Amino acid sequence: MDNNTRLVLFLISCMAVLAIGQFFMPQPSPSAAHPGSATPSAGQTTGHSSTQAVLSTSATAEKGSFQKTSPKAVDVPARSVTVETDLYTAVFSNEGAVLTSFELKKYPNRLTKKPVDLVNNDPARPKPFSVVYGNGDWNKVRFQVEGGEGKLSKGSEPSRLVFRGRDASGAVLTKTFSFKDGSYLVGLDIAADQAGSQALAAGPLAIQWADNMGTEEATGTNSRTTGLRVTTLTGNRIDSQNAKKSKESVEIAGPVEWTALANQFFMGALIPDPSSGSASVKVVREFNAYKLPTPDDPHPGLDPSLYDPRPQLIFNAPALSKGQGFHVKLQAFIGPQEYELLKSLNLHLEGVIDFGTFGFISVYMLKLLKWFYTIGHNWGLAIIFLSVVVKLVLWLPTHNSYKSMAMTSRKMKEVQPKIDALKRKYPDDKQKQQQEQMRIFQEAGINPLGGCLPMLFQIPIFWALYATLGHCIELRGASFLWLHDLTLKDPFFVFSLLMGGTMIIQQKVSGQMATQAAGQQKMLMWMMPVVLTFVSKDWPSGLLVYWVVTNVLSMIQQKVVNREIQRALKKEEGGKA
């Protein structure tokens, strides 16, 4: 259970304690292994349906044949290749034909102000698009490069970048990448041919992703909702794997629709093409996780007790004799977890976003939040508008809850002498005390949990809203008043103090802090706002904006309820007179 889940559960517990309590109160890490060392065994894909790989009897250049005039792999000089679109700048290395940098132009790093790079530059860590196949160590092979380098212009045709390499056995591997301006999707066609005399046995071909999403920002905010996770869609089921304290691996049988490594805001997904047959996934944990950086220590090193997950997309490769070859196709999405963008791709990639148990509510809240932004053109105002709408939706159940709790508290005050008499009458028989107390409650029409039930409707909405504000990438870098980023903490802690202050005022308005309250209960009423004020100093400021607005609206609603109760009491007293 991550820290933020514990936080939400703590908040819900606090709400429950406050709600129930007032009924009874009178009113006023690194491994040194090479990235290619995670070679999946042939047994990995046992039970998976066989890939429908394209198999040919001639190793043509189209399918990745190695030209006879090409120099040996050891003679190919090391080089980098850069591809630039309007959305990103991608850098590939011909050593392994892997991705070494992927900078998102629209999303600056919140500390360096340079574009976010979704690939970590540590040479000891695995890189996206590394391949494990046959007996060759393809991560050490230097590939020949053809075309693709440069900047794509708007409206231009997709660009292709081809890497061709050969191992010692004569096997030839060709990776053909395709890029299109205006899209975070990268196409990949992998072809294997046997140009040597040695036959290649059937076995797995694994396309691997990295174990991180670049260097994490040292923001100083408790806003990393779940850390790194690998999410895989197979059928209608989403499997999610987080960091663990062991090197445990998990195999997910095919056919899978996609597998993705994601953090709070960004993701890298591998999407197999159905024409290449059934693909499975193996989630491995070989490398220690990076510690969460802080402003004082932005590069704290590795956590020796924790291992991050990373995905391998696995195809079943057929046996190849000399002159035979096969190829598989897939796509990769490397970019932001923007719900509408992912939804528009029709690949079900929006399932990567971790909206939690009440995700179906979070989706509608996110749509509302974006709609309010089109009205106010400010994300802080959009959060305020959303807070008002949520309060209006919950107005009736909350109103009934407040009213029920107030009336219950009044009746409890009336029967309190009878309850005290029970304690004197049955001092040593707790069971008898409880039975008689329930009888007194029933005769007086008291339901201790009656006011709590309407509040249960608020818990799913609160949880869904918490997830929405925690994963809305549009809030990243969005400013409001003195807040320069609604996903970071309030630098002056103003909203933390406002949240605690409004909680205290709200409890006073509701009568929870009446001077007649018992010592322990009164201390609890004071302690909770103080504790939450201290804890919330590192919360994302957008969440605090919502909380403060909600507290203010709750105070207004409590005032309305108090007036209704006073009118009812006056009417009741007039009737008796």
Side-chain angles (χ1 to χ4, degrees), residues 46-80:
T46 302
H48 303 161
S49 58
S50 174
T51 182
Q52 300 170 359
V54 178
L55 181 64
S56 64
T57 55
S58 63
T60 64
E62 177 69 19
K63 294 175 184 175
S65 65
F66 199 82
Q67 302 299 315
K68 293 182 179 180
T69 57
S70 301
K72 295 181 180 179
V74 294
D75 297 330
V76 177
R79 60 171 294 196
S80 296

Side-chain angles (χ1 to χ4, degrees), residues 60-233:
T60 64
E62 177 69 19
K63 294 175 184 175
S65 65
F66 199 82
Q67 302 299 315
K68 293 182 179 180
T69 57
S70 301
K72 295 181 180 179
V74 294
D75 297 330
V76 177
R79 60 171 294 196
S80 296
V81 184
T82 301
V83 177
E84 185 177 356
T85 74
D86 62 336
L87 297 178
Y88 60 81
T89 300
V91 180
F92 292 83
S93 170
N94 74 326
E95 187 166 355
V98 295
L99 187 66
T100 58
S101 176
F102 199 89
E103 294 184 341
L104 301 181
K105 293 183 176 182
K106 293 185 177 181
Y107 299 95
N109 184 293
R110 291 176 287 187
L111 293 180
T112 66
K113 308 305 179 184
K114 297 179 180 178
V116 165
D117 193 341
L118 298 185
V119 180
N120 192 293
N121 59 10
D122 186 346
R125 313 292 284 202
K127 297 292 185 288
F129 301 122
S130 60
V131 169
V132 176
Y133 172 64
N135 297 320
D137 188 351
W138 295 102
N139 292 316
K140 292 183 178 179
V141 171
R142 290 182 180 173
F143 287 65
Q144 289 183 318
V145 184
E146 296 179 10
E149 186 167 21
K151 184 175 182 178
L152 276 67
S153 60
K154 189 173 183 180
S156 61
E157 292 296 319
S159 174
R160 298 173 74 229
L161 177 62
V162 181
F163 292 91
R164 285 196 179 94
R166 176 169 55 185
D167 69 2
S169 70
V172 177
L173 196 68
T174 304
K175 299 181 184 180
T176 302
F177 295 92
S178 59
F179 314 90
K180 185 177 181 181
D181 198 58
S183 174
Y184 290 105
L185 285 172
V186 176
L188 176 57
D189 188 312
I190 298 180
D193 296 283
Q194 178 54 299
S197 58
Q198 180 181 348
L200 291 175
L205 183 148
I207 300 98
Q208 307 188 104
W209 202 254
D211 66 326
N212 57 74
M213 293 301 296
T215 303
E216 190 162 5
E217 301 163 312
T219 61
T221 300
N222 294 336
S223 59
R224 192 171 77 159
T225 53
T226 56
L228 287 170
R229 65 188 187 282
V230 171
T231 305
T232 304
L233 176 63

Side-chain angles (χ1 to χ4, degrees), residues 184-185 229 231-233 238 257-262 267-272 331-354:
Y184 290 105
L185 285 172
R229 65 188 187 282
T231 305
T232 304
L233 176 63
I238 290 182
E257 292 192 35
W258 46 256
T259 185
L261 180 70
M267 59 183 280
L270 296 172
I271 312 155
Q331 294 183 94
F333 179 93
I334 315 170
Q337 294 180 51
E338 185 180 340
Y339 182 84
E340 294 299 335
L341 170 63
L342 297 176
K343 183 78 172 176
S344 67
L345 299 176
N346 296 318
L347 296 169
H348 305 114
L349 283 173
E350 64 275 10
V352 174
I353 304 177
D354 185 15

Side-chain angles (χ1 to χ4, degrees), residues 234-255:
T234 172
N236 294 320
R237 186 178 70 89
I238 290 182
D239 179 274
S240 185
Q241 298 290 327
N242 299 313
K244 291 190 175 181
K245 293 184 178 181
S246 67
K247 292 187 175 182
E248 175 187 346
S249 62
V250 176
E251 297 185 19
I252 303 171

Side-chain angles (χ1 to χ4, degrees), residues 475-526:
L475 297 181
R476 185 183 182 275
S479 61
F480 177 61
L481 300 176
W482 62 88
L483 306 171
H484 64 277
D485 190 324
L486 288 168
T487 64
L488 300 183
K489 66 182 180 183
D490 182 343
F492 306 112
F493 310 113
V494 173
F495 274 97
S496 295
L497 295 172
L498 285 175
M499 186 200 72
T502 51
M503 283 186 68
I504 292 174
I505 297 173
Q506 181 186 354
Q507 292 183 65
K508 285 187 175 181
V509 170
S510 65
Q512 294 183 47
M513 287 187 171
T515 56
Q516 302 93 336
Q520 284 186 330
Q521 293 171 328
K522 190 173 182 179
M523 182 180 296
L524 180 63
M525 295 304 103
W526 277 102

